[in-house]
Amino acid sequence: MQKQFMLGNEAIARGAVESGVKVVAGYPGTPATEIVDHCAEFGVYAEWSTNEKHAFEVAAAGSLTNQRAMAVMKHNGTNAAADFLMHINFTGIKAGMVLISADDPGGLSSQCEEDTRILIHNYAHVPVFDPASVQEAYEMTKAAIELSEKTEVLFALRPVMRINHAGSMVTFNPDAKPEVKKPDFVIDRSRYVMSAVVEKELGGELRPKMRHRWLNEKQVELKAIMETSPFNWVEAGEGETGFIGCGIGYAFLKEAEQIYGKKLPILKLSTLPLPEKKVLEFVKGLKKLVVFEEIEPVVETLIKELCFENNIQLEILGRDTYLPQEGELSAGFVLTALENVFANKAYPVPVSQYIPARTRTQCSGCSHRGLLIALKEVVKKNGGVVTGDIGCHDAGTFEPMKLQATIYCMGSSIPMAYGIKAAGFDKPTYALIGDSTFYHNGLTGLASAIFNKANITVIIGYNSTTAMTGFQPHPGSENNLTQDGLQPMDPGVVAAAMGAKVFRCNPYNVEETIKVINEATAETGVKVVIAEALCYLKFGRENKISYTFRNITVDEEVCNGCSLCVRTFGCPSITIVDEKATIDYSSCNGCGVCVSVCKRGALK
């Protein structure tokens, strides 16, 4: 065995590879992204799929072909893959398979905060491991693979952001030699063909009902496994108030316990199903129980049900009845709860205070800024509405641009744009979407818009990479995760083949972009504007840029300090000093877009 400092995502990847995982598929999404990157570095087959559902299906097919597999996604992606989840839970798997569903309590890098334990376990009845540390994430990944293969059931690992991005020393096995399995697909239609057909051998029972019974019967086996799981344990302590720490909640509970200076009765729970016997034994003699979990009262509710069924009178506090129902846990959060529980006081209402916050924006030199300022000029004059999507460009909805009117989930911009028109809105509507998101879930929305004869303008920011999550490739890139020199799929060519009218512009040229968007708006039907320019942050390092470098200067005789360049444009390289625009040359990348913003011509 060997020790090495690792981030959580690397530890998960290493655990998977040491367990013999051979097929890994995912879609980029913070906080889980780096898991797939590390798996590729370790030499297994790893790919960035076009979306999470496809990644899930690729990994599942690997499992059915007798190769251990892993699907990787964040919580939003698990939503996108829910359809497949609600089928593979009924069919089960062959070789061991784990689903990584990384949650982001607090929504630190997501559109929403969500607890996917509800979808994965409560709804799909799939077992879940909830790691409390980076070491445990590594160990749980290995255990999940082994147990999945043993039970023929998909297992899930639900790390939260504070595990994915935490770093610690991890004890691992660099000499692990997992069993080499021969790829072999054995046809079993009664299991792997999910259809409402009659099973003659079972007296005419419908297959979905039969597979549901199989899943229900598996719960007995899974509960027995969790009773002896090394990831659940009891720690003796003082008093009649017990505490349960679930996953990262246990880590924060132990930190708060140390600060509080009193040994507490603690039950660490990191599995679903719950180890019910262990829970019942722990609550004996307690008068009060406090549950710390991220982020919905999943375990709290299950324990309340368990106590009710066993006629146990116990006050149970948690996310549902005592603690704040939103936001992530922290040591301070837990310490505040301890102090107030022991004082028989309510959890204090947080005191809101103004904290200056840096607004979200694009990098200096980003092509999206030129596109956003051009589109803003267009809608300012025609009163149009812009529906947004997920990507670097979504910062355009905040100060100072305040452009996009809606942002929901991957690919929603296009259906929402034509839904607004379907409702009778008489001004132009624009859907703004990135190239990676277009291939993720924008194609079907575009097809629906064309099929239903919508009259909208779709603008695709084509910068040839998934920039927001760290430059992962997509079908419009010249490479995939492991290969270079590929033929990119031009979204404009795809859109034209689908029947859209296609226009093109370079968003670094603001005047041209305004002209092209206006031309597209004037046409009827579904129009697609391809705003094509390489991501500066990625390709600038490779000396590939989509503009002619300009050494921007400020003519102080012309500048009147109106600050329009800061208040409406928001480039981080421009500030106001002594009532004059000032360029920060340490960050300015010379794209020249700002020249179009200053109406007085002070920027040159």
Side-chain angles (χ1 to χ4, degrees):
M1 302 299 283
Q2 184 175 321
K3 281 190 174 182
Q4 181 177 314
F5 183 84
M6 298 182 197
L7 295 181
N9 283 339
E10 181 181 358
I12 292 168
R14 183 169 286 280
V17 173
E18 286 184 19
S19 300
V21 166
K22 296 297 182 185
V23 179
V24 178
Y27 182 82
T30 305
T33 304
E34 297 81 8
I35 298 171
V36 178
D37 291 325
H38 283 300
C39 285
E41 293 169 2
F42 292 145
V44 304
Y45 176 80
E47 73 165 44
W48 289 121
S49 305
T50 52
N51 63 39
E52 294 85 358
K53 178 174 179 288
H54 298 162
F56 206 166
E57 292 158 344
V58 168
S63 169
L64 300 191
T65 314
N66 201 36
Q67 298 300 297
R68 291 181 167 184
M70 182 166 70
V72 182
M73 57 201 69
K74 68 183 293 181
H75 62 280
N76 302 96
T78 307
N79 297 336
D83 189 8
F84 191 72
L85 173 65
M86 290 306 300
H87 288 78
I88 195 172
N89 60 339
F90 288 122
T91 69
I93 50 83
K94 184 176 181 182
M97 180 177 173
V98 62
L99 164 66
I100 308 295
S101 179
D103 285 354
D104 184 17
L108 301 178
S109 59
S110 308
Q111 308 93 282
C112 62
E113 60 173 5
E114 182 183 347
D115 189 336
T116 50
R117 294 178 303 167
I118 296 172
L119 176 60
I120 298 169
H121 180 70
N122 293 19
Y123 188 41
H125 304 303
V126 167
V128 177
F129 284 156
D130 190 5
S133 67
V134 174
Q135 179 71 47
E136 201 166 62
Y138 161 80
E139 294 169 356
M140 282 181 167
T141 303
K142 298 179 72 171
I145 292 292
E146 296 295 336
L147 290 170
S148 171
E149 190 160 310
K150 176 184 176 183
T151 61
E152 297 187 324
V153 173
L154 170 75
F155 267 61
L157 182 75
R158 197 289 299 246
V160 297
M161 187 275 290
R162 299 295 179 185
I163 295 295
N164 294 95
H165 290 171
S168 76
M169 297 299 292
V170 174
T171 301
F172 67 102
N173 183 6
D175 302 316
K177 291 181 173 57
E179 177 188 357
V180 177
K181 296 173 176 286
K182 180 183 178 181
D184 183 30
F185 191 96
V186 177
I187 295 175
D188 185 352
R189 292 186 179 88
S190 69
R191 185 176 177 190
Y192 301 134
V193 177
M194 285 298 293
S195 180
V197 296
V198 170
E199 293 284 358
K200 296 180 182 178
E201 295 80 3
L202 296 175
E205 188 171 62
L206 287 172
R207 187 174 297 166
K209 181 181 177 182
M210 178 195 77
R211 297 311 306 174
H212 194 182
R213 179 182 298 112
W214 174 88
L215 178 61
N216 288 335
E217 290 171 349
K218 279 291 178 182
Q219 301 308 304
V220 177
E221 181 181 0
L222 294 169
K223 286 181 178 181
I225 289 171
M226 298 316 180
E227 285 293 347
T228 59
S229 170
F231 304 122
N232 303 316
W233 63 75
V234 174
E235 299 175 9
E238 307 168 23
E240 297 177 322
T241 299
F243 299 87
I244 292 180
C246 306
I248 191 69
Y250 170 77
F252 289 131
L253 178 57
K254 292 299 290 182
E255 186 176 351
E257 178 191 51
Q258 186 176 16
I259 297 170
Y260 191 69
K262 180 181 178 181
K263 193 70 184 74
L264 306 173
I266 292 175
L267 171 59
K268 177 185 177 291
L269 290 179
S270 288
T271 69
L272 290 171
L274 292 179
E276 294 182 353
K277 293 178 183 178
K278 194 178 257 82
V279 172
L280 291 172
E281 184 65 28
F282 176 72
V283 301
K284 283 182 179 178
L286 296 179
K287 292 183 178 179
K288 188 179 295 185
L289 187 66
V290 186
V291 182
F292 297 102
E293 58 186 317
E294 297 280 33
I295 185 172
E296 299 291 337
V298 174
V299 171
E300 177 188 352
T301 301
L302 290 172
I303 291 177
K304 285 178 178 177
E305 293 173 356
L306 184 63
C307 289
F308 178 81
E309 291 168 359
N310 288 272
N311 297 314
I312 296 173
Q313 299 296 317
L314 180 66
E315 183 181 10
I316 300 175
L317 308 177
R319 291 283 196 167
D320 184 47
T321 53
Y322 183 75
L323 303 171
Q325 295 180 322
E326 56 283 321
E328 65 173 343
L329 296 173
S330 67
F333 181 116
V334 176
L335 185 60
T336 299
L338 295 185
E339 293 170 342
N340 286 278
V341 164
F342 285 123
N344 290 315
K345 294 180 180 178
Y347 192 94
V349 177
V351 179
S352 58
Q353 54 184 328
Y354 173 74
I355 300 175
R358 176 184 175 185
T359 185
R360 283 182 58 184
T361 187
Q362 293 82 25
C363 307
S364 295
C366 176
S367 63
H368 291 323
R369 185 172 283 105
L371 173 59
L372 291 168
I373 200 69
L375 183 54
K376 186 174 182 178
E377 286 296 313
V378 171
V379 299
K380 190 191 304 181
K381 294 180 179 178
N382 65 22
V385 169
V386 180
T387 56
D389 229 297
I390 312 304
C392 296
H393 43 79
D394 68 14
T397 193
F398 308 113
E399 295 282 0
M401 291 286 185
K402 295 192 290 187
L403 178 62
Q404 295 98 311
T406 65
I407 294 180
Y408 282 83
C409 53
M410 300 286 280
S412 64
S413 60
I414 299 175
M416 294 196 77
Y418 85 78
I420 290 171
K421 293 298 287 185
F425 188 68
D426 61 355
K427 295 181 176 62
T429 58
Y430 303 87
L432 179 55
I433 188 170
D435 45 5
S436 183
T437 308
F438 175 70
Y439 284 112
H440 177 285
N441 202 24
L443 283 163
T444 51
L446 183 63
S448 184
I450 294 169
F451 174 69
N452 288 295
K453 304 298 181 184
N455 182 21
I456 61 171
T457 303
V458 178
I459 303 172
I460 301 176
Y462 185 18
N463 65 359
S464 299
T465 189
T466 314
M468 196 176 204
T469 50
F471 315 122
Q472 291 77 29
H474 58 68
S477 306
E478 293 183 350
N479 64 294
N480 61 25
L481 188 55
T482 57
Q483 297 171 298
D484 295 321
L486 305 180
Q487 178 62 46
M489 298 181 199
D490 186 322
V493 174
V494 173
M498 295 172 73
K501 302 171 186 176
V502 177
F503 301 76
R504 293 181 183 271
C505 63
N506 182 337
Y508 284 111
N509 187 330
V510 176
E511 288 76 14
E512 175 200 22
T513 303
I514 291 173
K515 178 174 176 291
V516 169
I517 294 174
N518 279 325
E519 289 174 354
T521 305
E523 296 284 333
T524 57
V526 177
K527 298 84 60 175
V528 174
V529 175
I530 305 297
E532 182 175 4
L534 296 173
C535 168
Y536 176 83
L537 194 59
K538 172 177 170 55
F539 294 100
R541 301 169 184 175
E542 305 168 20
N543 294 318
K544 299 176 184 177
I545 57 176
S546 299
Y547 60 86
T548 301
F549 178 85
R550 298 174 66 169
N551 186 32
I552 306 300
T553 60
V554 178
D555 187 334
E556 294 192 358
E557 296 297 321
V558 178
C559 177
N560 65 354
C562 71
S563 74
L564 192 69
C565 53
V566 173
R567 290 186 292 106
T568 66
F569 187 53
C571 176
S573 297
I574 305 176
T575 55
I576 302 297
V577 178
D578 296 331
E579 299 184 347
K580 299 288 183 181
T582 302
I583 306 297
D584 177 5
Y585 290 105
S586 68
S587 62
C588 177
N589 292 311
C591 68
V593 173
C594 60
V595 174
S596 303
V597 176
C598 181
K599 305 305 180 184
R600 294 177 61 85
L603 293 171
K604 299 178 180 179

